[in-house]
mmCIF file of all heavy atoms in Angstrom:
data_model
loop_
_atom_site.group_PDB
_atom_site.id
_atom_site.type_symbol
_atom_site.label_atom_id
_atom_site.label_comp_id
_atom_site.label_asym_id
_atom_site.label_seq_id
_atom_site.Cartn_x
_atom_site.Cartn_y
_atom_site.Cartn_z
ATOM 1 N N ALA R 20 -25.117 -78.465 -74.936
ATOM 2 C CA ALA R 20 -25.212 -79.781 -74.306
ATOM 3 C C ALA R 20 -25.509 -80.863 -75.334
ATOM 4 O O ALA R 20 -24.986 -81.972 -75.263
ATOM 5 C CB ALA R 20 -26.287 -79.770 -73.227
ATOM 6 N N VAL R 53 7.302 -79.474 -78.871
ATOM 7 C CA VAL R 53 8.733 -79.719 -78.659
ATOM 8 C C VAL R 53 9.280 -80.635 -79.746
ATOM 9 O O VAL R 53 8.714 -81.704 -80.011
ATOM 10 C CB VAL R 53 8.993 -80.369 -77.287
ATOM 11 C CG1 VAL R 53 10.498 -80.572 -77.076
ATOM 12 C CG2 VAL R 53 8.411 -79.525 -76.162
ATOM 13 N N PRO R 66 2.473 -71.435 -80.759
ATOM 14 C CA PRO R 66 1.358 -71.466 -81.699
ATOM 15 C C PRO R 66 0.549 -70.179 -81.796
ATOM 16 O O PRO R 66 -0.468 -70.150 -82.479
ATOM 17 C CB PRO R 66 0.488 -72.598 -81.152
ATOM 18 C CG PRO R 66 0.710 -72.540 -79.679
ATOM 19 C CD PRO R 66 2.144 -72.138 -79.494
ATOM 20 N N THR R 184 21.301 -85.721 -63.642
ATOM 21 C CA THR R 184 21.037 -84.282 -63.564
ATOM 22 C C THR R 184 20.845 -83.733 -64.974
ATOM 23 O O THR R 184 21.435 -84.238 -65.937
ATOM 24 C CB THR R 184 22.190 -83.529 -62.878
ATOM 25 O OG1 THR R 184 23.406 -83.735 -63.627
ATOM 26 C CG2 THR R 184 22.382 -84.000 -61.448
ATOM 27 N N ASP R 322 -24.495 -49.608 -105.012
ATOM 28 C CA ASP R 322 -24.614 -49.518 -103.551
ATOM 29 C C ASP R 322 -26.078 -49.457 -103.135
ATOM 30 O O ASP R 322 -26.703 -48.394 -103.177
ATOM 31 C CB ASP R 322 -23.865 -48.281 -103.049
ATOM 32 C CG ASP R 322 -23.767 -48.238 -101.528
ATOM 33 O OD1 ASP R 322 -24.430 -49.064 -100.872
ATOM 34 O OD2 ASP R 322 -23.030 -47.392 -100.995
ATOM 35 N N ALA R 355 -37.984 -53.954 -61.313
ATOM 36 C CA ALA R 355 -37.711 -53.064 -62.445
ATOM 37 C C ALA R 355 -38.188 -51.642 -62.189
ATOM 38 O O ALA R 355 -37.683 -50.690 -62.796
ATOM 39 C CB ALA R 355 -38.361 -53.621 -63.709
ATOM 40 N N PRO R 362 -35.780 -40.368 -57.561
ATOM 41 C CA PRO R 362 -36.083 -38.955 -57.284
ATOM 42 C C PRO R 362 -35.181 -38.041 -58.120
ATOM 43 O O PRO R 362 -33.973 -38.302 -58.244
ATOM 44 C CB PRO R 362 -35.784 -38.809 -55.789
ATOM 45 C CG PRO R 362 -35.882 -40.200 -55.243
ATOM 46 C CD PRO R 362 -35.423 -41.102 -56.336
ATOM 47 N N ASP R 421 -5.451 -79.079 -98.002
ATOM 48 C CA ASP R 421 -4.729 -78.659 -99.206
ATOM 49 C C ASP R 421 -4.439 -77.163 -99.224
ATOM 50 O O ASP R 421 -3.942 -76.634 -100.224
ATOM 51 C CB ASP R 421 -5.528 -79.047 -100.454
ATOM 52 C CG ASP R 421 -5.660 -80.557 -100.595
ATOM 53 O OD1 ASP R 421 -4.700 -81.264 -100.231
ATOM 54 O OD2 ASP R 421 -6.725 -81.020 -101.044
ATOM 55 N N TYR R 472 -14.347 -52.429 -88.550
ATOM 56 C CA TYR R 472 -14.166 -51.360 -87.575
ATOM 57 C C TYR R 472 -14.684 -51.699 -86.180
ATOM 58 O O TYR R 472 -15.577 -52.530 -86.011
ATOM 59 C CB TYR R 472 -14.880 -50.098 -88.081
ATOM 60 C CG TYR R 472 -14.382 -49.654 -89.440
ATOM 61 C CD1 TYR R 472 -15.065 -50.020 -90.600
ATOM 62 C CD2 TYR R 472 -13.217 -48.911 -89.566
ATOM 63 C CE1 TYR R 472 -14.601 -49.635 -91.852
ATOM 64 C CE2 TYR R 472 -12.745 -48.523 -90.808
ATOM 65 C CZ TYR R 472 -13.438 -48.898 -91.953
ATOM 66 O OH TYR R 472 -12.968 -48.539 -93.191
ATOM 67 N N GLY R 478 -24.003 -44.729 -75.114
ATOM 68 C CA GLY R 478 -24.324 -45.243 -73.793
ATOM 69 C C GLY R 478 -25.186 -44.257 -73.026
ATOM 70 O O GLY R 478 -24.783 -43.107 -72.839
ATOM 71 N N MET R 495 -27.932 -48.992 -67.130
ATOM 72 C CA MET R 495 -27.054 -48.800 -68.289
ATOM 73 C C MET R 495 -27.722 -49.316 -69.559
ATOM 74 O O MET R 495 -28.170 -50.454 -69.614
ATOM 75 C CB MET R 495 -25.730 -49.547 -68.058
ATOM 76 C CG MET R 495 -24.955 -49.074 -66.841
ATOM 77 S SD MET R 495 -23.524 -50.136 -66.443
ATOM 78 C CE MET R 495 -24.331 -51.455 -65.507
ATOM 79 N N GLY R 513 -21.761 -71.000 -92.129
ATOM 80 C CA GLY R 513 -22.752 -72.033 -91.880
ATOM 81 C C GLY R 513 -23.277 -72.068 -90.467
ATOM 82 O O GLY R 513 -24.125 -72.900 -90.135
ATOM 83 N N LEU R 585 -13.889 -47.140 -54.063
ATOM 84 C CA LEU R 585 -13.562 -48.088 -53.001
ATOM 85 C C LEU R 585 -14.776 -48.390 -52.128
ATOM 86 O O LEU R 585 -14.966 -49.529 -51.676
ATOM 87 C CB LEU R 585 -12.418 -47.544 -52.139
ATOM 88 C CG LEU R 585 -11.033 -47.510 -52.797
ATOM 89 C CD1 LEU R 585 -10.040 -46.801 -51.888
ATOM 90 C CD2 LEU R 585 -10.553 -48.922 -53.114
ATOM 91 N N ALA R 596 -9.585 -55.460 -57.069
ATOM 92 C CA ALA R 596 -9.937 -54.110 -57.508
ATOM 93 C C ALA R 596 -9.545 -53.083 -56.454
ATOM 94 O O ALA R 596 -8.987 -52.024 -56.763
ATOM 95 C CB ALA R 596 -11.434 -54.023 -57.805
ATOM 96 N N ASN R 642 -6.804 -23.912 -73.009
ATOM 97 C CA ASN R 642 -7.675 -24.935 -73.586
ATOM 98 C C ASN R 642 -6.909 -26.002 -74.372
ATOM 99 O O ASN R 642 -7.460 -26.679 -75.232
ATOM 100 C CB ASN R 642 -8.745 -24.316 -74.495
ATOM 101 C CG ASN R 642 -9.978 -25.202 -74.609
ATOM 102 O OD1 ASN R 642 -10.481 -25.710 -73.613
ATOM 103 N ND2 ASN R 642 -10.473 -25.393 -75.830
ATOM 104 N N ASP R 654 -3.377 -56.279 -61.929
ATOM 105 C CA ASP R 654 -3.300 -57.547 -61.207
ATOM 106 C C ASP R 654 -3.825 -58.668 -62.094
ATOM 107 O O ASP R 654 -5.032 -58.854 -62.246
ATOM 108 C CB ASP R 654 -4.126 -57.479 -59.918
ATOM 109 C CG ASP R 654 -3.983 -58.725 -59.054
ATOM 110 O OD1 ASP R 654 -3.461 -59.739 -59.556
ATOM 111 O OD2 ASP R 654 -4.397 -58.688 -57.883
ATOM 112 N N SER R 677 -4.576 -42.797 -77.791
ATOM 113 C CA SER R 677 -4.575 -42.344 -79.186
ATOM 114 C C SER R 677 -5.977 -42.030 -79.680
ATOM 115 O O SER R 677 -6.181 -41.089 -80.453
ATOM 116 C CB SER R 677 -3.937 -43.406 -80.084
ATOM 117 O OG SER R 677 -2.542 -43.470 -79.897
#
Side-chain angles (χ1 to χ4, degrees):
V53 182
T184 60
D322 189 351
D421 296 325
Y472 302 97
M495 299 171 277
L585 289 173
N642 205 46
D654 185 346
S677 288

